Amino acid sequence: MTEAILLVGGKGTRLRPLTVHTPKPMVPAAGVPFLTHQLARARAAGVDHIVLATSYLAEVFEPHFGDGSALGLHIEYVTETEPLGTGGAIRNVASRLRSGPDEPVLIFNGDILTGLDIPALVTTHEESGADVSLHLTKVTDPRAFGLVPTDGTGRVQAFLEKPQTPEEIVTDQINAGAYVFRRSVIDTIPVGRPVSVERETFPDLLASGAHLQGMVDSTYWLDLGTPQAFVRGSADLVLGRAPSPAIPGRCGDRLILPTATVAPDAKLTGGTVVGEHAVIGEGARVDGSTILAGAVVEPNAVITDSLIGADARVGARTILAGAVIGDGAMVGADNELRDGVRVWCGAELPAGSVRFSSDQ
């Protein structure tokens, strides 16, 4: 396997306001756009040709990655004029593939952080003779996911979308969002209309007698669809819990990019990232958080499990816990924001205007 399709067209609505100006795969995680980690892992697995299936803010990708040569890749870009879903996006880029009809093509989603053993998935695909092979992972509570029961040989038996009752939960195996397709199978996906691989392509293939193989790989796996998950994923990359060859520095308790300024007595822990030209003031404490480029954290602010957007400002003594501050937003001094609050891009919050506890 030497080529792959990477699905990066989603609007990232669950991640807003992070995705107001930036497509989801380009939001920085551990110091670089999240997509960089996926591209680097694909390259490490032997992939040298990748087609990016783009849609939302498609113009952002090529200026950053160019032809992919800096990563040892050849990257092509195909933009959807209308949203086509996962299956439709795969079919829409098929003309750019070079593989022969029986050769494997890797396909993965642009919002999954995983330690998947990609060569093992390809080997499983080839040795089983499957038409499509799926990465499966096990989760404690599968109700938010699509279940994929398999037989004793790993052959897929069914696709069960988001079960709600105990009787419906027949397995803890879920579709983890990475696949190997036999090249000829891609050409069977309908052209020019929205298609979901999860709800249409895979069930139809199964009904037609095609061989779909599952491979359970329960290494690190995280869907970065929410701000809280994205912040955690970035921290896990810095801490070394999630693997990536693209981290711009050594794994450890914090990652400070070269042009950032951090006060000597500021305390950064838990996989915190401080982006280019960002400033962390005296006495500030930042744990498990991402501070994007040009942001300013003023003295004695306390930030936990939060993301501060590019060029945003957090005032002195302000407390953030599980918060997202959009690009260019200004949060004044002595505020207290908690529990999933999202401050929109460019918004201004006056000093001392929001608290979850007494000001005394």
Side-chain angles (χ1 to χ4, degrees), residues 304-355:
T304 306
D305 299 334
S306 297
L307 192 147
I308 313 303
D311 300 314
R313 179 177 289 267
V314 176
R317 299 171 302 281
T318 280
I319 297 171
L320 304 179
V324 177
I325 311 301
D327 296 342
M330 304 292 173
V331 178
D334 300 306
N335 280 290
E336 182 182 356
L337 306 179
R338 297 185 178 275
D339 302 326
V341 67
R342 307 183 192 206
V343 177
W344 229 249
C345 299
E348 296 187 15
L349 201 60
S353 58
V354 176
R355 296 198 63 82

mmCIF file of all heavy atoms in Angstrom, residues 304-355:
data_model
loop_
_atom_site.group_PDB
_atom_site.id
_atom_site.type_symbol
_atom_site.label_atom_id
_atom_site.label_comp_id
_atom_site.label_asym_id
_atom_site.label_seq_id
_atom_site.Cartn_x
_atom_site.Cartn_y
_atom_site.Cartn_z
ATOM 1 N N THR A 304 -7.093 25.697 33.054
ATOM 2 C CA THR A 304 -7.080 24.241 33.144
ATOM 3 C C THR A 304 -7.925 23.651 32.023
ATOM 4 O O THR A 304 -9.068 24.080 31.814
ATOM 5 C CB THR A 304 -7.646 23.778 34.499
ATOM 6 O OG1 THR A 304 -6.932 24.422 35.560
ATOM 7 C CG2 THR A 304 -7.515 22.267 34.656
ATOM 8 N N ASP A 305 -7.377 22.674 31.305
ATOM 9 C CA ASP A 305 -8.130 21.926 30.281
ATOM 10 C C ASP A 305 -8.883 22.848 29.333
ATOM 11 O O ASP A 305 -10.043 22.606 28.984
ATOM 12 C CB ASP A 305 -9.113 20.957 30.958
ATOM 13 C CG ASP A 305 -8.414 19.931 31.828
ATOM 14 O OD1 ASP A 305 -7.245 19.630 31.563
ATOM 15 O OD2 ASP A 305 -9.056 19.443 32.780
ATOM 16 N N SER A 306 -8.232 23.897 28.886
ATOM 17 C CA SER A 306 -8.886 24.905 28.057
ATOM 18 C C SER A 306 -8.075 25.183 26.803
ATOM 19 O O SER A 306 -6.901 24.818 26.702
ATOM 20 C CB SER A 306 -9.068 26.206 28.852
ATOM 21 O OG SER A 306 -9.913 25.996 29.968
ATOM 22 N N LEU A 307 -8.713 25.848 25.846
ATOM 23 C CA LEU A 307 -8.023 26.244 24.625
ATOM 24 C C LEU A 307 -8.216 27.738 24.409
ATOM 25 O O LEU A 307 -9.347 28.233 24.406
ATOM 26 C CB LEU A 307 -8.540 25.456 23.421
ATOM 27 C CG LEU A 307 -7.679 25.603 22.152
ATOM 28 C CD1 LEU A 307 -7.688 24.325 21.348
ATOM 29 C CD2 LEU A 307 -8.146 26.771 21.286
ATOM 30 N N ILE A 308 -7.101 28.439 24.236
ATOM 31 C CA ILE A 308 -7.117 29.874 24.018
ATOM 32 C C ILE A 308 -6.751 30.115 22.559
ATOM 33 O O ILE A 308 -5.661 29.753 22.117
ATOM 34 C CB ILE A 308 -6.104 30.600 24.940
ATOM 35 C CG1 ILE A 308 -6.229 30.096 26.386
ATOM 36 C CG2 ILE A 308 -6.292 32.101 24.845
ATOM 37 C CD1 ILE A 308 -7.594 30.231 26.990
ATOM 38 N N GLY A 309 -7.651 30.740 21.806
ATOM 39 C CA GLY A 309 -7.474 30.913 20.375
ATOM 40 C C GLY A 309 -6.372 31.885 20.015
ATOM 41 O O GLY A 309 -5.834 32.614 20.857
ATOM 42 N N ALA A 310 -6.045 31.910 18.740
ATOM 43 C CA ALA A 310 -4.980 32.779 18.244
ATOM 44 C C ALA A 310 -5.298 34.241 18.543
ATOM 45 O O ALA A 310 -6.426 34.703 18.341
ATOM 46 C CB ALA A 310 -4.812 32.578 16.743
ATOM 47 N N ASP A 311 -4.298 34.957 19.063
ATOM 48 C CA ASP A 311 -4.385 36.395 19.345
ATOM 49 C C ASP A 311 -5.455 36.760 20.374
ATOM 50 O O ASP A 311 -5.843 37.927 20.480
ATOM 51 C CB ASP A 311 -4.620 37.191 18.048
ATOM 52 C CG ASP A 311 -3.489 36.988 17.046
ATOM 53 O OD1 ASP A 311 -2.323 37.061 17.459
ATOM 54 O OD2 ASP A 311 -3.781 36.736 15.856
ATOM 55 N N ALA A 312 -5.939 35.784 21.123
ATOM 56 C CA ALA A 312 -6.873 36.078 22.216
ATOM 57 C C ALA A 312 -6.106 36.557 23.438
ATOM 58 O O ALA A 312 -4.889 36.407 23.534
ATOM 59 C CB ALA A 312 -7.694 34.835 22.546
ATOM 60 N N ARG A 313 -6.822 37.124 24.391
ATOM 61 C CA ARG A 313 -6.196 37.615 25.626
ATOM 62 C C ARG A 313 -7.024 37.183 26.825
ATOM 63 O O ARG A 313 -8.254 37.339 26.827
ATOM 64 C CB ARG A 313 -6.062 39.134 25.589
ATOM 65 C CG ARG A 313 -5.433 39.736 26.856
ATOM 66 C CD ARG A 313 -5.253 41.233 26.727
ATOM 67 N NE ARG A 313 -4.190 41.572 25.793
ATOM 68 C CZ ARG A 313 -2.924 41.791 26.136
ATOM 69 N NH1 ARG A 313 -2.556 41.709 27.415
ATOM 70 N NH2 ARG A 313 -2.028 42.098 25.231
ATOM 71 N N VAL A 314 -6.335 36.658 27.835
ATOM 72 C CA VAL A 314 -6.976 36.261 29.087
ATOM 73 C C VAL A 314 -6.436 37.165 30.184
ATOM 74 O O VAL A 314 -5.222 37.233 30.414
ATOM 75 C CB VAL A 314 -6.679 34.782 29.413
ATOM 76 C CG1 VAL A 314 -7.274 34.405 30.767
ATOM 77 C CG2 VAL A 314 -7.227 33.877 28.308
ATOM 78 N N GLY A 315 -7.329 37.857 30.860
ATOM 79 C CA GLY A 315 -6.932 38.876 31.825
ATOM 80 C C GLY A 315 -6.331 38.320 33.102
ATOM 81 O O GLY A 315 -6.454 37.133 33.423
ATOM 82 N N ALA A 316 -5.698 39.203 33.835
ATOM 83 C CA ALA A 316 -5.050 38.846 35.100
ATOM 84 C C ALA A 316 -6.048 38.228 36.068
ATOM 85 O O ALA A 316 -7.189 38.676 36.182
ATOM 86 C CB ALA A 316 -4.410 40.085 35.719
ATOM 87 N N ARG A 317 -5.610 37.183 36.731
ATOM 88 C CA ARG A 317 -6.356 36.490 37.793
ATOM 89 C C ARG A 317 -7.624 35.790 37.285
ATOM 90 O O ARG A 317 -8.398 35.252 38.075
ATOM 91 C CB ARG A 317 -6.713 37.443 38.947
ATOM 92 C CG ARG A 317 -5.506 38.044 39.638
ATOM 93 C CD ARG A 317 -5.898 39.129 40.621
ATOM 94 N NE ARG A 317 -6.654 40.212 39.975
ATOM 95 C CZ ARG A 317 -6.099 41.187 39.260
ATOM 96 N NH1 ARG A 317 -4.787 41.239 39.115
ATOM 97 N NH2 ARG A 317 -6.856 42.117 38.720
ATOM 98 N N THR A 318 -7.851 35.791 36.013
ATOM 99 C CA THR A 318 -9.009 35.085 35.465
ATOM 100 C C THR A 318 -8.792 33.573 35.588
ATOM 101 O O THR A 318 -7.680 33.074 35.425
ATOM 102 C CB THR A 318 -9.250 35.495 34.002
ATOM 103 O OG1 THR A 318 -9.924 36.751 34.003
ATOM 104 C CG2 THR A 318 -10.086 34.481 33.241
ATOM 105 N N ILE A 319 -9.874 32.860 35.869
ATOM 106 C CA ILE A 319 -9.838 31.405 36.018
ATOM 107 C C ILE A 319 -10.641 30.783 34.875
ATOM 108 O O ILE A 319 -11.808 31.115 34.667
ATOM 109 C CB ILE A 319 -10.429 30.974 37.371
ATOM 110 C CG1 ILE A 319 -9.597 31.537 38.531
ATOM 111 C CG2 ILE A 319 -10.516 29.447 37.464
ATOM 112 C CD1 ILE A 319 -10.228 31.344 39.893
ATOM 113 N N LEU A 320 -10.006 29.875 34.138
ATOM 114 C CA LEU A 320 -10.679 29.138 33.080
ATOM 115 C C LEU A 320 -10.548 27.647 33.358
ATOM 116 O O LEU A 320 -9.455 27.165 33.636
ATOM 117 C CB LEU A 320 -10.054 29.443 31.714
ATOM 118 C CG LEU A 320 -9.982 30.899 31.251
ATOM 119 C CD1 LEU A 320 -9.315 30.975 29.882
ATOM 120 C CD2 LEU A 320 -11.367 31.522 31.202
ATOM 121 N N ALA A 321 -11.643 26.924 33.276
ATOM 122 C CA ALA A 321 -11.621 25.471 33.450
ATOM 123 C C ALA A 321 -12.563 24.856 32.433
ATOM 124 O O ALA A 321 -13.770 25.093 32.474
ATOM 125 C CB ALA A 321 -12.029 25.087 34.865
ATOM 126 N N GLY A 322 -12.015 24.099 31.481
ATOM 127 C CA GLY A 322 -12.836 23.503 30.438
ATOM 128 C C GLY A 322 -13.469 24.531 29.531
ATOM 129 O O GLY A 322 -14.591 24.359 29.068
ATOM 130 N N ALA A 323 -12.748 25.615 29.248
ATOM 131 C CA ALA A 323 -13.277 26.715 28.445
ATOM 132 C C ALA A 323 -12.599 26.774 27.081
ATOM 133 O O ALA A 323 -11.483 26.292 26.903
ATOM 134 C CB ALA A 323 -13.081 28.035 29.178
ATOM 135 N N VAL A 324 -13.286 27.382 26.136
ATOM 136 C CA VAL A 324 -12.715 27.660 24.820
ATOM 137 C C VAL A 324 -12.865 29.148 24.553
ATOM 138 O O VAL A 324 -13.975 29.691 24.613
ATOM 139 C CB VAL A 324 -13.425 26.861 23.713
ATOM 140 C CG1 VAL A 324 -12.856 27.229 22.348
ATOM 141 C CG2 VAL A 324 -13.280 25.374 23.951
ATOM 142 N N ILE A 325 -11.757 29.802 24.263
ATOM 143 C CA ILE A 325 -11.755 31.220 23.959
ATOM 144 C C ILE A 325 -11.404 31.371 22.489
ATOM 145 O O ILE A 325 -10.330 30.966 22.051
ATOM 146 C CB ILE A 325 -10.735 31.984 24.839
ATOM 147 C CG1 ILE A 325 -10.903 31.616 26.326
ATOM 148 C CG2 ILE A 325 -10.857 33.471 24.604
ATOM 149 C CD1 ILE A 325 -12.266 31.905 26.891
ATOM 150 N N GLY A 326 -12.309 31.939 21.701
ATOM 151 C CA GLY A 326 -12.129 32.027 20.263
ATOM 152 C C GLY A 326 -11.017 32.979 19.858
ATOM 153 O O GLY A 326 -10.539 33.805 20.655
ATOM 154 N N ASP A 327 -10.617 32.883 18.609
ATOM 155 C CA ASP A 327 -9.554 33.735 18.078
ATOM 156 C C ASP A 327 -9.885 35.209 18.303
ATOM 157 O O ASP A 327 -10.998 35.675 18.025
ATOM 158 C CB ASP A 327 -9.386 33.510 16.574
ATOM 159 C CG ASP A 327 -8.939 32.103 16.220
ATOM 160 O OD1 ASP A 327 -8.439 31.397 17.114
ATOM 161 O OD2 ASP A 327 -9.090 31.716 15.046
ATOM 162 N N GLY A 328 -8.910 35.951 18.822
ATOM 163 C CA GLY A 328 -9.054 37.391 18.968
ATOM 164 C C GLY A 328 -9.990 37.849 20.066
ATOM 165 O O GLY A 328 -10.222 39.052 20.229
ATOM 166 N N ALA A 329 -10.532 36.930 20.855
ATOM 167 C CA ALA A 329 -11.429 37.315 21.943
ATOM 168 C C ALA A 329 -10.639 37.920 23.104
ATOM 169 O O ALA A 329 -9.459 37.624 23.292
ATOM 170 C CB ALA A 329 -12.231 36.112 22.422
ATOM 171 N N MET A 330 -11.283 38.762 23.879
ATOM 172 C CA MET A 330 -10.660 39.408 25.027
ATOM 173 C C MET A 330 -11.471 39.102 26.282
ATOM 174 O O MET A 330 -12.625 39.515 26.387
ATOM 175 C CB MET A 330 -10.598 40.929 24.818
ATOM 176 C CG MET A 330 -9.891 41.351 23.543
ATOM 177 S SD MET A 330 -8.116 40.979 23.598
ATOM 178 C CE MET A 330 -7.640 41.404 21.912
ATOM 179 N N VAL A 331 -10.885 38.359 27.190
ATOM 180 C CA VAL A 331 -11.533 38.046 28.461
ATOM 181 C C VAL A 331 -10.846 38.898 29.529
ATOM 182 O O VAL A 331 -9.655 38.739 29.787
ATOM 183 C CB VAL A 331 -11.418 36.553 28.809
ATOM 184 C CG1 VAL A 331 -12.067 36.269 30.158
ATOM 185 C CG2 VAL A 331 -12.070 35.710 27.715
ATOM 186 N N GLY A 332 -11.580 39.812 30.123
ATOM 187 C CA GLY A 332 -10.997 40.736 31.078
ATOM 188 C C GLY A 332 -10.545 40.066 32.362
ATOM 189 O O GLY A 332 -10.781 38.875 32.593
ATOM 190 N N ALA A 333 -9.903 40.852 33.217
ATOM 191 C CA ALA A 333 -9.374 40.348 34.485
ATOM 192 C C ALA A 333 -10.505 39.882 35.398
ATOM 193 O O ALA A 333 -11.646 40.335 35.309
ATOM 194 C CB ALA A 333 -8.559 41.429 35.171
ATOM 195 N N ASP A 334 -10.156 38.951 36.296
ATOM 196 C CA ASP A 334 -11.030 38.530 37.408
ATOM 197 C C ASP A 334 -12.351 37.907 36.948
ATOM 198 O O ASP A 334 -13.361 38.000 37.644
ATOM 199 C CB ASP A 334 -11.306 39.721 38.343
ATOM 200 C CG ASP A 334 -10.030 40.271 38.937
ATOM 201 O OD1 ASP A 334 -9.269 39.492 39.538
ATOM 202 O OD2 ASP A 334 -9.762 41.484 38.768
ATOM 203 N N ASN A 335 -12.345 37.270 35.802
ATOM 204 C CA ASN A 335 -13.491 36.462 35.394
ATOM 205 C C ASN A 335 -13.261 35.015 35.797
ATOM 206 O O ASN A 335 -12.136 34.595 36.076
ATOM 207 C CB ASN A 335 -13.699 36.548 33.881
ATOM 208 C CG ASN A 335 -14.422 37.814 33.469
ATOM 209 O OD1 ASN A 335 -15.601 37.983 33.738
ATOM 210 N ND2 ASN A 335 -13.698 38.718 32.804
ATOM 211 N N GLU A 336 -14.340 34.252 35.821
ATOM 212 C CA GLU A 336 -14.257 32.820 36.137
ATOM 213 C C GLU A 336 -15.190 32.086 35.172
ATOM 214 O O GLU A 336 -16.414 32.212 35.263
ATOM 215 C CB GLU A 336 -14.678 32.565 37.582
ATOM 216 C CG GLU A 336 -14.564 31.106 37.993
ATOM 217 C CD GLU A 336 -15.034 30.873 39.425
ATOM 218 O OE1 GLU A 336 -15.378 31.855 40.115
ATOM 219 O OE2 GLU A 336 -15.088 29.707 39.831
ATOM 220 N N LEU A 337 -14.607 31.330 34.234
ATOM 221 C CA LEU A 337 -15.378 30.653 33.194
ATOM 222 C C LEU A 337 -15.115 29.159 33.283
ATOM 223 O O LEU A 337 -13.970 28.721 33.294
ATOM 224 C CB LEU A 337 -14.966 31.167 31.809
ATOM 225 C CG LEU A 337 -15.027 32.683 31.592
ATOM 226 C CD1 LEU A 337 -14.561 33.030 30.191
ATOM 227 C CD2 LEU A 337 -16.429 33.208 31.833
ATOM 228 N N ARG A 338 -16.192 28.379 33.314
ATOM 229 C CA ARG A 338 -16.048 26.945 33.560
ATOM 230 C C ARG A 338 -16.965 26.106 32.673
ATOM 231 O O ARG A 338 -17.861 26.606 32.017
ATOM 232 C CB ARG A 338 -16.371 26.629 35.031
ATOM 233 C CG ARG A 338 -15.428 27.269 36.042
ATOM 234 C CD ARG A 338 -15.751 26.818 37.459
ATOM 235 N NE ARG A 338 -14.837 27.390 38.425
ATOM 236 C CZ ARG A 338 -13.645 26.881 38.736
ATOM 237 N NH1 ARG A 338 -13.238 25.769 38.155
ATOM 238 N NH2 ARG A 338 -12.881 27.471 39.633
ATOM 239 N N ASP A 339 -16.696 24.815 32.712
ATOM 240 C CA ASP A 339 -17.644 23.785 32.289
ATOM 241 C C ASP A 339 -18.158 23.935 30.863
ATOM 242 O O ASP A 339 -19.353 23.982 30.619
ATOM 243 C CB ASP A 339 -18.832 23.740 33.252
ATOM 244 C CG ASP A 339 -18.414 23.484 34.681
ATOM 245 O OD1 ASP A 339 -17.433 22.746 34.864
ATOM 246 O OD2 ASP A 339 -19.028 24.031 35.609
ATOM 247 N N GLY A 340 -17.233 23.996 29.901
ATOM 248 C CA GLY A 340 -17.639 23.972 28.508
ATOM 249 C C GLY A 340 -18.058 25.304 27.927
ATOM 250 O O GLY A 340 -18.560 25.342 26.795
ATOM 251 N N VAL A 341 -17.860 26.390 28.641
ATOM 252 C CA VAL A 341 -18.216 27.704 28.104
ATOM 253 C C VAL A 341 -17.359 28.009 26.870
ATOM 254 O O VAL A 341 -16.195 27.658 26.795
ATOM 255 C CB VAL A 341 -18.046 28.808 29.165
ATOM 256 C CG1 VAL A 341 -16.583 29.016 29.529
ATOM 257 C CG2 VAL A 341 -18.673 30.113 28.703
ATOM 258 N N ARG A 342 -17.975 28.646 25.872
ATOM 259 C CA ARG A 342 -17.286 29.023 24.640
ATOM 260 C C ARG A 342 -17.448 30.526 24.435
ATOM 261 O O ARG A 342 -18.568 31.020 24.311
ATOM 262 C CB ARG A 342 -17.857 28.278 23.436
ATOM 263 C CG ARG A 342 -17.906 26.768 23.609
ATOM 264 C CD ARG A 342 -18.426 26.088 22.349
ATOM 265 N NE ARG A 342 -18.733 24.681 22.599
ATOM 266 C CZ ARG A 342 -18.722 23.737 21.669
ATOM 267 N NH1 ARG A 342 -18.414 24.043 20.425
ATOM 268 N NH2 ARG A 342 -19.017 22.489 21.963
ATOM 269 N N VAL A 343 -16.339 31.232 24.384
ATOM 270 C CA VAL A 343 -16.350 32.664 24.110
ATOM 271 C C VAL A 343 -16.029 32.847 22.638
ATOM 272 O O VAL A 343 -14.993 32.390 22.161
ATOM 273 C CB VAL A 343 -15.337 33.415 24.994
ATOM 274 C CG1 VAL A 343 -15.311 34.892 24.639
ATOM 275 C CG2 VAL A 343 -15.674 33.217 26.474
ATOM 276 N N TRP A 344 -16.913 33.524 21.899
ATOM 277 C CA TRP A 344 -16.794 33.562 20.451
ATOM 278 C C TRP A 344 -15.645 34.440 19.977
ATOM 279 O O TRP A 344 -15.152 35.309 20.702
ATOM 280 C CB TRP A 344 -18.107 34.030 19.824
ATOM 281 C CG TRP A 344 -18.511 33.112 18.716
ATOM 282 C CD1 TRP A 344 -18.530 33.385 17.391
ATOM 283 C CD2 TRP A 344 -18.916 31.748 18.855
ATOM 284 N NE1 TRP A 344 -18.940 32.279 16.683
ATOM 285 C CE2 TRP A 344 -19.183 31.256 17.552
ATOM 286 C CE3 TRP A 344 -19.087 30.882 19.938
ATOM 287 C CZ2 TRP A 344 -19.597 29.955 17.308
ATOM 288 C CZ3 TRP A 344 -19.498 29.593 19.705
ATOM 289 C CH2 TRP A 344 -19.750 29.139 18.404
ATOM 290 N N CYS A 345 -15.223 34.172 18.753
ATOM 291 C CA CYS A 345 -14.124 34.920 18.150
ATOM 292 C C CYS A 345 -14.418 36.427 18.194
ATOM 293 O O CYS A 345 -15.508 36.864 17.820
ATOM 294 C CB CYS A 345 -13.917 34.496 16.701
ATOM 295 S SG CYS A 345 -13.484 32.765 16.484
ATOM 296 N N GLY A 346 -13.436 37.194 18.660
ATOM 297 C CA GLY A 346 -13.554 38.641 18.675
ATOM 298 C C GLY A 346 -14.418 39.213 19.780
ATOM 299 O O GLY A 346 -14.530 40.438 19.907
ATOM 300 N N ALA A 347 -15.041 38.365 20.602
ATOM 301 C CA ALA A 347 -15.882 38.867 21.692
ATOM 302 C C ALA A 347 -15.028 39.521 22.775
ATOM 303 O O ALA A 347 -13.858 39.201 22.942
ATOM 304 C CB ALA A 347 -16.698 37.720 22.286
ATOM 305 N N GLU A 348 -15.639 40.437 23.503
ATOM 306 C CA GLU A 348 -14.951 41.113 24.606
ATOM 307 C C GLU A 348 -15.767 40.956 25.873
ATOM 308 O O GLU A 348 -16.935 41.322 25.926
ATOM 309 C CB GLU A 348 -14.740 42.595 24.280
ATOM 310 C CG GLU A 348 -13.829 42.817 23.077
ATOM 311 C CD GLU A 348 -13.479 44.282 22.861
ATOM 312 O OE1 GLU A 348 -13.697 45.082 23.800
ATOM 313 O OE2 GLU A 348 -13.000 44.621 21.764
ATOM 314 N N LEU A 349 -15.140 40.399 26.885
ATOM 315 C CA LEU A 349 -15.793 40.162 28.174
ATOM 316 C C LEU A 349 -15.164 41.104 29.195
ATOM 317 O O LEU A 349 -13.976 40.979 29.499
ATOM 318 C CB LEU A 349 -15.587 38.703 28.584
ATOM 319 C CG LEU A 349 -16.540 38.089 29.602
ATOM 320 C CD1 LEU A 349 -17.966 38.122 29.095
ATOM 321 C CD2 LEU A 349 -16.128 36.660 29.894
ATOM 322 N N PRO A 350 -15.922 42.052 29.723
ATOM 323 C CA PRO A 350 -15.327 43.023 30.655
ATOM 324 C C PRO A 350 -14.798 42.363 31.921
ATOM 325 O O PRO A 350 -15.202 41.248 32.285
ATOM 326 C CB PRO A 350 -16.498 43.961 30.976
ATOM 327 C CG PRO A 350 -17.460 43.792 29.850
ATOM 328 C CD PRO A 350 -17.329 42.362 29.430
ATOM 329 N N ALA A 351 -13.921 43.058 32.600
ATOM 330 C CA ALA A 351 -13.331 42.550 33.836
ATOM 331 C C ALA A 351 -14.415 42.241 34.860
ATOM 332 O O ALA A 351 -15.373 42.993 35.039
ATOM 333 C CB ALA A 351 -12.361 43.578 34.399
ATOM 334 N N GLY A 352 -14.263 41.086 35.533
ATOM 335 C CA GLY A 352 -15.142 40.719 36.632
ATOM 336 C C GLY A 352 -16.597 40.549 36.273
ATOM 337 O O GLY A 352 -17.469 40.682 37.136
ATOM 338 N N SER A 353 -16.915 40.231 35.021
ATOM 339 C CA SER A 353 -18.317 40.211 34.614
ATOM 340 C C SER A 353 -18.983 38.837 34.719
ATOM 341 O O SER A 353 -20.193 38.742 34.784
ATOM 342 C CB SER A 353 -18.456 40.722 33.179
ATOM 343 O OG SER A 353 -17.686 39.946 32.285
ATOM 344 N N VAL A 354 -18.206 37.747 34.749
ATOM 345 C CA VAL A 354 -18.769 36.407 34.849
ATOM 346 C C VAL A 354 -18.005 35.629 35.920
ATOM 347 O O VAL A 354 -16.779 35.553 35.882
ATOM 348 C CB VAL A 354 -18.695 35.637 33.508
ATOM 349 C CG1 VAL A 354 -19.207 34.216 33.681
ATOM 350 C CG2 VAL A 354 -19.470 36.365 32.436
ATOM 351 N N ARG A 355 -18.767 35.057 36.860
ATOM 352 C CA ARG A 355 -18.132 34.229 37.899
ATOM 353 C C ARG A 355 -19.024 33.031 38.224
ATOM 354 O O ARG A 355 -20.240 33.091 38.048
ATOM 355 C CB ARG A 355 -17.887 35.042 39.173
ATOM 356 C CG ARG A 355 -16.904 36.190 39.013
ATOM 357 C CD ARG A 355 -16.386 36.653 40.358
ATOM 358 N NE ARG A 355 -15.633 35.606 41.044
ATOM 359 C CZ ARG A 355 -14.352 35.327 40.812
ATOM 360 N NH1 ARG A 355 -13.687 36.012 39.907
ATOM 361 N NH2 ARG A 355 -13.750 34.376 41.475
#
